[in-house]
Amino acid sequence: MITECTPTQMEFQGVGRRKVQADFDGGHLSSDGGALLLREAEERFSIIERFASCFTDYRDDRFVEHSLVQLLRQRIFGIALGYEDLNDHNKLRLDPLIALATGKEDIEGAERRHEEDRGKPLASASTLNRLELTPENADEDSRYKKLVYHGERIERLLVDLFLESFQEAPEEIILDFDATDDPLHGNQEGRFFHGYYGHYCYLPLYVTCGDELLVAQLRKSNIDASEGTVPVLERLVEAIRAKFPNTRIILRGDSGFAREPIMAWCEVNDVYYVLGLAKNPRLIKLLEPAVFKACVRHRLTGVACREFLSFEYRTKKSWSRARRVIGKLEILRQGPNPRFIITNLPEDYATPEDLYEKVYCARGEMENRIKEQQLDLFADRTSTHTMRANQLRLWFSSMAYVLVNRLRSVALKGTTMARATCGTIRLNLFKVAAALKISVRRVMVHLPTACPFQKIFVQAWEALHRLPRPV
C-alpha cells in the first residue's frame, strides 16, 4: 500500500548537470501583482467607495471584521482579476496582496477574532454571499443578512460616473441601446425560454456611450427587446441635460428599438435617434431607383456596389406619422442586400451614406463592450436564485468594468494597451507574479524582472500617481 503524503521537495527533469527541485516554501507569493494597479485606481477614482454608499449596512460594528467597502473591493477586484465564482474566494482569502488591495491593515490575518480564521485576512465566500442574498426589507433585527443595496442609487451612480468622465461639455452624446441574452442553466426566478436565442435566459438591457457604461438592467426574457427604453431614456436625458444643457443627444439602436413610443418620445423631447429598420416589401419597392443604379454599376465593374436613398415612409398602422428613412442597396455576387435605418436627424447633419456607414454602423462597437462584460468580467454569471441577487451580480461586473475602463482610459492612455480589452489588460498587467516581504515598517512587493509589460505597468502607475487623491 502506497503511503499518501505531501513532499516537502519535488524533483523535476534536470537541466544539463543541474537538478531541478521545487517546494512550497516561497513565503508570501501572489499571481495577482496587478491588484496594486486596481488599488491605486480605486484610491484615485473612489468608484467602489461610492458604490458602497448605495448600500445600507445594518450590522453591529462590534462584531464586524470586514467593512462594507472591503467586502465590495474583494468581490469586484476578484472579478477584474478573473475570479468569477464566489467559491474562488475560499482560496483567494489567503492572499495577502489581495488583502492589501482591499484596504486591510492586517494583511496576514494574524489578528482575526476566531482561531480558524487566522492566516485568512479576507472574507469567505459565505460572508460575501450575504451581499447578494440580503432581502430588500432587511434591517438591524435581521439575523445574518444585513447589507441592503438600493438599486435606484446604483443606477444613478453609473450615470454620475459617466458624466464625470468628461472634462468639458461635449457637443453630442450618442447613447447606444442594446439587449442581449444571458443564458440560464438552473431554475432562477424570472427564467423564460426565448425563441430567438433558443434557450432559457434573461434579457438584460445595456446602454453605453463609447467605452462608458451607463445602464446594465437585468430583465426577464418574455418581453420585447425595447421594453423599458422610454423610462431609461427619461432618466438619462434628464441627468445629461442637468449637467450639459446644450449637448445634442442621439439614441442609437438596432431595429428592435424602432418602436413608435420610443421615436415619439424622442421627437417630443428634442432627442435625436438613428435606428435600424427591418425590411419589408414596401420598403424594398421604394428602394427600386437605387437598385437600378447599383445593378448598372455592378455589371460595368464586376465589384460590389452600393447606393443610398433617402425618402419619407410611414407604416400602415403602427406609426403616428411619416418619418425619414435611409435605404442602402448593396449588390453582391449573391444578389441585392437591402438595409434600412430611420432617423430624425436634420438632413444637413450628414449625407445618407455617412449617416448609415459612419453613424449607424458605429453602433457595432457596442457589441465589444457587451462582450467585455460577459466574456471578460462574467456579467452572465447570474446563477443565484432571485432576480434581485442576480441584478447585483450584474452590477458587480459593471463596477469592475467601470474601474478597469477608467484605468484604461486614464492610466493606459498613449500606450499600446490604450484600446486593449479588459481580458487582455488582465492577462498582461494584472496576472503578474509577486513576492511580498512584510515587516513592521513596510510591505515590499517584488514583481518579476522578466515581466514583458513592465514598461507599460510603470507608465500606468506613473499616470495614476500624478492624479490628485480625492478629498
Side-chain angles (χ1 to χ4, degrees), residues 59 130 134 142-147:
R59 296 177 299 170
R130 293 174 189 170
T134 301
S142 299
R143 187 169 184 182
Y144 292 119
K145 303 175 181 67
K146 301 184 179 185
L147 300 167

Side-chain angles (χ1 to χ4, degrees), residues 97-118:
L97 184 57
I98 305 298
L100 173 69
T102 63
K104 289 281 186 181
E105 292 187 12
D106 178 21
I107 64 174
E108 296 179 279
E111 300 172 9
R112 294 292 302 274
R113 181 179 289 115
H114 300 293
E115 179 67 31
E116 62 270 22
D117 291 329
R118 304 248 169 88

Side-chain angles (χ1 to χ4, degrees), residues 283-402:
L283 285 169
I284 293 174
K285 186 172 180 61
L286 290 169
L287 202 55
E288 285 181 352
V291 174
F292 176 75
K293 290 182 180 180
C295 286
V296 170
R297 288 175 56 204
H298 178 66
R299 289 175 182 174
L300 291 174
T301 62
V303 298
C305 296
R306 298 178 185 177
E307 288 290 336
F308 294 85
L309 189 65
S310 178
F311 54 86
E312 292 290 307
Y313 173 78
R314 180 176 180 177
T315 62
K316 291 182 178 180
K317 295 182 179 180
S318 58
W319 291 4
S320 61
R321 52 172 291 183
R323 295 183 169 98
R324 183 186 177 209
V325 171
I326 293 172
K328 182 199 77 167
L329 193 283
E330 187 172 19
I331 302 296
L332 306 171
R333 291 182 180 179
Q334 297 84 359
N337 180 33
R339 290 287 186 270
F340 301 91
I341 62 172
I342 182 169
T343 184
N344 64 339
L345 281 165
E347 293 190 16
D348 60 358
Y349 179 84
T351 64
E353 182 176 359
D354 285 346
L355 195 58
Y356 187 94
E357 295 190 337
K358 294 182 179 180
V359 180
Y360 175 72
C361 288
R363 67 165 294 278
E365 186 63 23
M366 183 190 186
E367 301 290 341
N368 292 327
R369 305 289 78 76
I370 294 177
K371 287 178 181 177
E372 284 188 278
Q373 291 271 307
Q374 293 195 329
L375 301 181
D376 294 340
L377 298 171
F378 320 113
D380 57 353
R381 198 64 172 165
T382 48
S383 55
T384 192
H385 178 65
T386 67
M387 282 199 72
R388 177 177 171 81
N390 284 322
Q391 173 65 80
L392 184 58
R393 286 192 174 191
L394 179 58
W395 279 329
F396 284 156
S397 296
S398 300
M399 290 300 166
Y401 174 82
V402 171

Side-chain angles (χ1 to χ4, degrees), residues 196-300:
Y196 177 79
Y197 293 110
H199 51 236
Y200 288 91
C201 61
Y202 288 135
L203 194 68
L205 175 68
Y206 284 95
V207 181
T208 64
C209 178
D211 291 341
E212 299 290 333
L213 176 68
L214 288 82
V215 174
Q217 184 182 96
L218 197 66
R219 306 178 301 173
K220 300 176 182 179
S221 63
N222 62 336
I223 59 171
D224 184 79
S226 66
E227 185 167 316
T229 296
V230 171
V232 170
L233 259 178
E234 289 175 342
R235 179 167 57 84
L236 296 180
V237 170
E238 180 183 6
I240 292 170
R241 285 185 171 157
K243 186 166 186 178
F244 305 130
N246 299 317
T247 294
R248 181 194 304 118
I249 302 174
I250 301 175
L251 162 66
R252 186 165 60 187
D254 62 20
S255 59
F257 293 85
R259 302 289 188 262
E260 170 66 23
I262 298 173
M263 294 185 291
W265 186 90
C266 290
E267 290 156 358
V268 170
N269 292 278
D270 297 322
V271 174
Y272 295 104
Y273 56 79
V274 180
L275 304 168
L277 185 62
K279 59 187 175 184
N280 61 51
R282 288 181 60 210
L283 285 169
I284 293 174
K285 186 172 180 61
L286 290 169
L287 202 55
E288 285 181 352
V291 174
F292 176 75
K293 290 182 180 180
C295 286
V296 170
R297 288 175 56 204
H298 178 66
R299 289 175 182 174
L300 291 174

Side-chain angles (χ1 to χ4, degrees), residues 4-24:
E4 295 184 3
C5 63
T6 303
T8 57
Q9 191 172 75
M10 297 166 285
E11 187 161 332
F12 293 87
Q13 185 67 34
V15 178
R17 296 182 179 181
R18 298 174 181 172
K19 293 182 179 181
V20 176
Q21 297 174 330
D23 58 36
F24 286 96

